[in-house]
Amino acid sequence: MGEASPSEISKQQVKIRIGMKKFGLVMVGLVVLMGHVQAQSDGSQARWQAKPVVVDGNDQEWAKPLNFYDSASGLLYAISNSSDQLYLTFTVRDMLKMRKMMTAGWTMQLIAKDKKNKIKASLIFPAANMERMGDRGQDPMSGSLVKENPMIRNYGLQLGAVQVNGFQTDKSEVLLRNQNGIRIAVGENLERQLVYEIGIPLKELFGAAYTPGKQVLTLNVVVNAMSRPTGSGNNASVHAGGGQGRPQGGMRQGGGGGRMGGGMQGGGRMGGGGQKPVNGSFDRSSSFQRTSFKQKFRLNGN
């Protein structure tokens, strides 16, 4: 077999160069496509709610798994809407993170900044005194096992009402389990985990002239930092059975987000693939840090 002639070598080099150019174009196309997908994933669509949600603090009627997750706060949550109502539910599985939300308080905002809608509506859950609330599964007085979580029960009794502002209503607070207008309930699920359930008439956000559509909102959540015990250093810990804290700081935008089961994502991760185990993995120093996340979503026009 003889050596290739210079012309044959030149033809092979041309073919190689053409092949490399095609490969490069394919890679550029993939990068553009990925960028387009990422741009689409900046927002997620709320689930369509065919039947009204009974806002009672029990998330049993919500489809599982809940389709958003934020690792910093430990919150699992879901968003749905009907033609006239917006529904949200939040739960936290980690005992210490649950205690932080109760003790320090937290704020939920719904924000819209488009040309037609300028909205900044807030629900402010105040801090509760966690002293003598009891440990999980035990009555705080007798210590005997009970069917409900007494800490969550007592928290709900202490909470009583939630501050509201930025909505169409002229009220400054909403009583828990109120059955008219904005509805908020605190309870527990079958695993004795804290559940917040919220129902908001869309006209409270967009006004009485609201017409169903695919409006875009941003959910912004801030869990306040607990106060460090007096005389504690950087390594102070939070015990699940005691400790108190007060809310610190105001609202700020974070970057935690979650992921929709439909494939569009925000910034964290969840999707339809099951809920994350969290017990025993919480860095206790984070109890003294404010955590926040935001999730952009689009109402479901069905």
Side-chain angles (χ1 to χ4, degrees):
M1 189 172 179
E3 295 182 355
S5 67
S7 61
E8 291 175 332
I9 294 175
S10 179
K11 289 180 180 179
Q12 291 176 356
Q13 290 175 339
V14 170
K15 289 181 180 180
I16 291 172
R17 288 173 184 170
I18 292 174
M20 292 179 67
K21 286 182 179 179
K22 288 182 178 179
F23 177 79
L25 290 173
V26 170
M27 293 302 296
V28 169
L30 288 173
V31 170
V32 171
L33 179 61
M34 290 175 67
H36 177 66
V37 171
Q38 183 62 39
Q40 287 183 326
S41 67
D42 286 343
S44 300
Q45 183 166 283
R47 291 172 172 170
W48 177 252
Q49 191 66 46
K51 296 181 180 179
V53 171
V54 178
V55 180
D56 58 1
N58 187 332
D59 64 357
Q60 191 170 2
E61 61 196 302
W62 288 79
K64 301 297 189 306
L66 302 182
N67 54 337
F68 290 99
Y69 175 69
D70 175 67
S71 59
S73 64
L75 279 172
L76 290 154
Y77 60 106
I79 305 170
S80 67
N81 72 274
S82 64
S83 60
D84 62 349
Q85 298 285 325
L86 174 66
Y87 298 103
L88 303 99
T89 188
F90 300 85
T91 188
V92 58
R93 303 179 68 186
D94 186 286
M95 187 67 171
L96 291 177
K97 290 185 178 182
M98 179 177 75
R99 196 172 186 86
K100 177 185 176 183
M101 292 192 72
M102 295 177 179
T103 303
W106 65 289
T107 299
M108 185 201 88
Q109 282 188 334
L110 291 168
I111 301 168
K113 296 182 179 180
D114 58 62
K115 293 180 180 179
K116 293 183 179 179
N117 303 296
K118 303 292 182 183
I119 299 168
K120 191 174 183 180
S122 302
L123 299 177
I124 303 169
F125 293 79
N129 184 347
M130 298 298 294
E131 197 170 322
R132 295 182 59 81
M133 273 206 179
D135 290 328
R136 180 178 183 176
Q138 291 187 335
D139 185 274
M141 300 302 293
S142 66
S144 60
L145 293 177
V146 293
K147 292 184 178 180
E148 63 179 348
N149 188 328
M151 184 168 66
I152 296 175
R153 178 191 63 202
N154 293 340
Y155 169 64
L157 292 173
Q158 275 200 49
L159 195 59
V162 174
Q163 298 174 42
V164 299
N165 60 59
F167 294 94
Q168 296 293 316
T169 180
D170 56 359
K171 295 180 180 179
S172 60
E173 67 175 21
V174 171
L175 297 177
L176 292 188
R177 297 182 181 272
N178 169 58
Q179 295 303 310
N180 298 308
I182 300 172
R183 289 145 294 145
I184 304 170
V186 174
E188 60 183 289
N189 56 24
L190 295 176
E191 296 174 300
R192 295 185 181 176
Q193 296 160 352
L194 177 64
V195 173
Y196 296 91
E197 208 170 13
I198 301 165
I200 302 172
L202 288 171
K203 65 181 181 181
E204 285 285 357
L205 293 169
F206 300 102
Y210 165 78
T211 55
K214 296 183 178 181
Q215 290 85 348
V216 175
L217 291 164
T218 296
L219 170 69
N220 191 24
V221 171
V222 170
V223 181
N224 298 321
M226 293 174 61
S227 297
R228 290 184 181 275
T230 304
S232 63
N234 293 331
N235 295 324
S237 63
V238 180
H239 190 274
Q244 280 182 261
R246 294 180 175 84
Q248 293 180 344
M251 201 71 185
R252 72 174 176 83
Q253 300 247 338
R259 182 172 181 174
M260 284 294 286
M264 295 186 291
Q265 62 183 4
R269 61 193 184 99
M270 187 54 171
Q275 298 181 350
K276 291 179 70 67
V278 293
N279 289 327
S281 61
F282 182 40
D283 177 8
R284 295 183 179 186
S285 64
S286 64
S287 293
F288 309 112
Q289 300 171 2
R290 183 176 59 178
T291 56
S292 64
F293 67 87
K294 60 181 179 179
Q295 176 63 51
K296 187 175 181 181
F297 67 95
R298 183 174 60 254
L299 294 180
N300 194 322
N302 196 33

Short mmCIF file of all heavy atoms in Angstrom, two decimals, residues 218-256:
data_model
loop_
_atom_site.label_atom_id
_atom_site.label_comp_id
_atom_site.label_asym_id
_atom_site.label_seq_id
_atom_site.Cartn_x
_atom_site.Cartn_y
_atom_site.Cartn_z
N THR A 218 -44.15 36.86 41.99
CA THR A 218 -42.96 36.34 42.66
C THR A 218 -43.28 36.13 44.12
O THR A 218 -43.75 37.05 44.80
CB THR A 218 -41.77 37.30 42.52
OG1 THR A 218 -41.42 37.43 41.14
CG2 THR A 218 -40.55 36.78 43.29
N LEU A 219 -43.06 34.91 44.59
CA LEU A 219 -43.19 34.59 46.00
C LEU A 219 -41.86 34.86 46.67
O LEU A 219 -40.82 34.36 46.23
CB LEU A 219 -43.58 33.12 46.17
CG LEU A 219 -43.53 32.57 47.60
CD1 LEU A 219 -44.62 33.20 48.46
CD2 LEU A 219 -43.64 31.04 47.60
N ASN A 220 -41.86 35.66 47.71
CA ASN A 220 -40.64 35.98 48.45
C ASN A 220 -40.87 35.60 49.92
O ASN A 220 -41.82 36.10 50.55
CB ASN A 220 -40.32 37.47 48.32
CG ASN A 220 -38.93 37.81 48.84
OD1 ASN A 220 -38.06 36.95 48.89
ND2 ASN A 220 -38.71 39.05 49.22
N VAL A 221 -40.03 34.73 50.45
CA VAL A 221 -40.18 34.24 51.82
C VAL A 221 -38.92 34.56 52.62
O VAL A 221 -37.81 34.33 52.15
CB VAL A 221 -40.45 32.72 51.84
CG1 VAL A 221 -40.38 32.17 53.27
CG2 VAL A 221 -41.81 32.41 51.23
N VAL A 222 -39.10 35.09 53.82
CA VAL A 222 -37.99 35.35 54.72
C VAL A 222 -38.30 34.74 56.08
O VAL A 222 -39.37 35.00 56.66
CB VAL A 222 -37.73 36.86 54.90
CG1 VAL A 222 -36.74 37.11 56.04
CG2 VAL A 222 -37.18 37.46 53.62
N VAL A 223 -37.42 33.88 56.56
CA VAL A 223 -37.52 33.34 57.91
C VAL A 223 -36.52 34.11 58.77
O VAL A 223 -35.32 34.13 58.49
CB VAL A 223 -37.20 31.83 57.94
CG1 VAL A 223 -37.33 31.30 59.37
CG2 VAL A 223 -38.13 31.08 57.00
N ASN A 224 -37.02 34.78 59.79
CA ASN A 224 -36.17 35.63 60.62
C ASN A 224 -35.14 34.82 61.39
O ASN A 224 -35.29 33.61 61.61
CB ASN A 224 -37.02 36.43 61.60
CG ASN A 224 -37.99 37.36 60.90
OD1 ASN A 224 -37.65 37.97 59.89
ND2 ASN A 224 -39.20 37.46 61.42
N ALA A 225 -34.09 35.51 61.83
CA ALA A 225 -33.06 34.88 62.66
C ALA A 225 -33.50 34.86 64.12
O ALA A 225 -34.17 35.78 64.58
CB ALA A 225 -31.74 35.64 62.52
N MET A 226 -33.14 33.81 64.81
CA MET A 226 -33.37 33.76 66.25
C MET A 226 -32.29 34.57 66.95
O MET A 226 -31.17 34.70 66.46
CB MET A 226 -33.34 32.31 66.75
CG MET A 226 -34.48 31.45 66.25
SD MET A 226 -34.32 29.70 66.72
CE MET A 226 -34.35 29.85 68.51
N SER A 227 -32.63 35.14 68.10
CA SER A 227 -31.63 35.84 68.91
C SER A 227 -30.78 34.83 69.64
O SER A 227 -31.29 33.82 70.16
CB SER A 227 -32.32 36.76 69.92
OG SER A 227 -33.06 37.77 69.26
N ARG A 228 -29.49 35.10 69.70
CA ARG A 228 -28.60 34.20 70.43
C ARG A 228 -28.85 34.34 71.93
O ARG A 228 -29.08 35.45 72.42
CB ARG A 228 -27.14 34.53 70.14
CG ARG A 228 -26.71 34.18 68.72
CD ARG A 228 -25.22 34.44 68.53
NE ARG A 228 -24.81 34.13 67.16
CZ ARG A 228 -24.47 32.90 66.75
NH1 ARG A 228 -24.48 31.90 67.61
NH2 ARG A 228 -24.12 32.69 65.50
N PRO A 229 -28.80 33.22 72.67
CA PRO A 229 -28.93 33.31 74.13
C PRO A 229 -27.84 34.20 74.72
O PRO A 229 -26.73 34.27 74.20
CB PRO A 229 -28.75 31.85 74.59
CG PRO A 229 -29.10 31.04 73.38
CD PRO A 229 -28.66 31.84 72.20
N THR A 230 -28.16 34.91 75.78
CA THR A 230 -27.21 35.83 76.40
C THR A 230 -25.94 35.09 76.80
O THR A 230 -25.98 34.03 77.42
CB THR A 230 -27.84 36.47 77.65
OG1 THR A 230 -29.05 37.11 77.27
CG2 THR A 230 -26.89 37.49 78.25
N GLY A 231 -24.78 35.68 76.40
CA GLY A 231 -23.49 35.10 76.78
C GLY A 231 -23.03 33.97 75.90
O GLY A 231 -22.00 33.36 76.16
N SER A 232 -23.78 33.69 74.83
CA SER A 232 -23.38 32.58 73.96
C SER A 232 -22.41 33.07 72.90
O SER A 232 -22.42 34.22 72.50
CB SER A 232 -24.61 31.97 73.29
OG SER A 232 -25.22 32.92 72.45
N GLY A 233 -21.58 32.19 72.44
CA GLY A 233 -20.61 32.50 71.40
C GLY A 233 -21.09 32.02 70.06
O GLY A 233 -22.26 31.68 69.87
N ASN A 234 -20.17 31.93 69.12
CA ASN A 234 -20.53 31.52 67.77
C ASN A 234 -20.98 30.08 67.68
O ASN A 234 -21.64 29.68 66.74
CB ASN A 234 -19.34 31.74 66.81
CG ASN A 234 -19.03 33.21 66.63
OD1 ASN A 234 -19.92 34.05 66.72
ND2 ASN A 234 -17.77 33.52 66.39
N ASN A 235 -20.61 29.28 68.69
CA ASN A 235 -20.93 27.86 68.64
C ASN A 235 -22.17 27.52 69.44
O ASN A 235 -22.42 26.37 69.76
CB ASN A 235 -19.74 27.03 69.15
CG ASN A 235 -18.53 27.16 68.26
OD1 ASN A 235 -18.66 27.26 67.04
ND2 ASN A 235 -17.35 27.18 68.86
N ALA A 236 -22.95 28.54 69.81
CA ALA A 236 -24.16 28.28 70.58
C ALA A 236 -25.09 27.38 69.80
O ALA A 236 -25.20 27.47 68.59
CB ALA A 236 -24.87 29.60 70.91
N SER A 237 -25.78 26.50 70.50
CA SER A 237 -26.67 25.56 69.84
C SER A 237 -28.11 25.86 70.20
O SER A 237 -28.40 26.55 71.17
CB SER A 237 -26.32 24.12 70.22
OG SER A 237 -26.51 23.93 71.61
N VAL A 238 -29.01 25.28 69.45
CA VAL A 238 -30.44 25.42 69.70
C VAL A 238 -30.96 24.04 70.06
O VAL A 238 -30.88 23.12 69.26
CB VAL A 238 -31.18 25.94 68.46
CG1 VAL A 238 -32.65 26.07 68.76
CG2 VAL A 238 -30.60 27.28 68.03
N HIS A 239 -31.51 23.89 71.24
CA HIS A 239 -32.05 22.61 71.65
C HIS A 239 -33.50 22.53 71.25
O HIS A 239 -34.25 23.50 71.37
CB HIS A 239 -31.91 22.46 73.17
CG HIS A 239 -32.23 21.08 73.65
ND1 HIS A 239 -33.51 20.67 73.94
CD2 HIS A 239 -31.43 20.01 73.85
CE1 HIS A 239 -33.47 19.40 74.34
NE2 HIS A 239 -32.24 18.99 74.29
N ALA A 240 -33.91 21.38 70.76
CA ALA A 240 -35.27 21.24 70.25
C ALA A 240 -36.32 21.39 71.33
O ALA A 240 -37.47 21.63 71.06
CB ALA A 240 -35.43 19.88 69.57
N GLY A 241 -35.93 21.26 72.58
CA GLY A 241 -36.93 21.34 73.65
C GLY A 241 -36.97 22.68 74.33
O GLY A 241 -37.75 22.88 75.25
N GLY A 242 -36.14 23.64 73.97
CA GLY A 242 -36.16 24.92 74.67
C GLY A 242 -35.52 25.99 73.84
O GLY A 242 -35.18 25.82 72.70
N GLY A 243 -35.33 27.15 74.47
CA GLY A 243 -34.72 28.28 73.77
C GLY A 243 -35.77 29.20 73.23
O GLY A 243 -36.85 28.81 72.85
N GLN A 244 -35.44 30.48 73.23
CA GLN A 244 -36.35 31.48 72.72
C GLN A 244 -35.64 32.35 71.73
O GLN A 244 -34.42 32.44 71.72
CB GLN A 244 -36.87 32.36 73.87
CG GLN A 244 -38.00 31.74 74.67
CD GLN A 244 -38.49 32.68 75.72
OE1 GLN A 244 -38.10 32.58 76.87
NE2 GLN A 244 -39.33 33.61 75.34
N GLY A 245 -36.39 33.03 70.92
CA GLY A 245 -35.78 33.97 69.99
C GLY A 245 -36.80 34.99 69.56
O GLY A 245 -37.99 34.82 69.73
N ARG A 246 -36.31 36.06 69.03
CA ARG A 246 -37.19 37.11 68.54
C ARG A 246 -36.81 37.42 67.10
O ARG A 246 -35.66 37.26 66.72
CB ARG A 246 -37.06 38.36 69.40
CG ARG A 246 -37.60 38.12 70.83
CD ARG A 246 -37.46 39.39 71.66
NE ARG A 246 -38.07 39.21 72.96
CZ ARG A 246 -37.46 38.63 73.99
NH1 ARG A 246 -36.22 38.19 73.85
NH2 ARG A 246 -38.06 38.50 75.14
N PRO A 247 -37.76 37.90 66.32
CA PRO A 247 -37.46 38.19 64.92
C PRO A 247 -36.46 39.32 64.79
O PRO A 247 -36.49 40.28 65.56
CB PRO A 247 -38.83 38.58 64.34
CG PRO A 247 -39.64 39.02 65.51
CD PRO A 247 -39.15 38.22 66.67
N GLN A 248 -35.58 39.22 63.82
CA GLN A 248 -34.62 40.26 63.55
C GLN A 248 -34.69 40.62 62.08
O GLN A 248 -34.84 39.77 61.23
CB GLN A 248 -33.19 39.78 63.85
CG GLN A 248 -32.96 39.53 65.34
CD GLN A 248 -31.54 39.06 65.57
OE1 GLN A 248 -30.86 38.67 64.64
NE2 GLN A 248 -31.10 39.12 66.79
N GLY A 249 -34.53 41.91 61.79
CA GLY A 249 -34.38 42.34 60.40
C GLY A 249 -35.70 42.38 59.66
O GLY A 249 -36.74 41.94 60.14
N GLY A 250 -35.65 42.94 58.47
CA GLY A 250 -36.83 43.07 57.65
C GLY A 250 -36.80 42.14 56.47
O GLY A 250 -36.16 41.10 56.49
N MET A 251 -37.44 42.56 55.42
CA MET A 251 -37.59 41.71 54.25
C MET A 251 -36.46 41.96 53.27
O MET A 251 -36.06 43.08 53.04
CB MET A 251 -38.93 42.08 53.58
CG MET A 251 -39.48 41.02 52.70
SD MET A 251 -40.09 39.61 53.60
CE MET A 251 -40.49 38.54 52.24
N ARG A 252 -35.91 40.91 52.70
CA ARG A 252 -34.96 41.10 51.61
C ARG A 252 -35.10 39.95 50.64
O ARG A 252 -35.55 38.87 50.99
CB ARG A 252 -33.52 41.19 52.13
CG ARG A 252 -32.95 39.88 52.61
CD ARG A 252 -31.47 40.08 52.95
NE ARG A 252 -30.89 38.88 53.50
CZ ARG A 252 -30.42 37.85 52.78
NH1 ARG A 252 -30.51 37.91 51.48
NH2 ARG A 252 -29.89 36.80 53.36
N GLN A 253 -34.68 40.19 49.43
CA GLN A 253 -34.80 39.17 48.39
C GLN A 253 -33.66 38.18 48.52
O GLN A 253 -32.51 38.54 48.69
CB GLN A 253 -34.75 39.83 47.01
CG GLN A 253 -35.88 40.84 46.80
CD GLN A 253 -36.85 40.38 45.77
OE1 GLN A 253 -36.54 39.56 44.94
NE2 GLN A 253 -38.06 40.92 45.80
N GLY A 254 -34.01 36.90 48.45
CA GLY A 254 -32.99 35.86 48.52
C GLY A 254 -32.85 35.16 47.19
O GLY A 254 -33.26 35.67 46.17
N GLY A 255 -32.27 33.98 47.18
CA GLY A 255 -32.09 33.29 45.91
C GLY A 255 -32.24 31.81 46.02
O GLY A 255 -31.49 31.07 45.41
N GLY A 256 -33.21 31.32 46.83
CA GLY A 256 -33.26 29.90 47.11
C GLY A 256 -34.12 29.10 46.16
O GLY A 256 -33.75 28.03 45.74
#
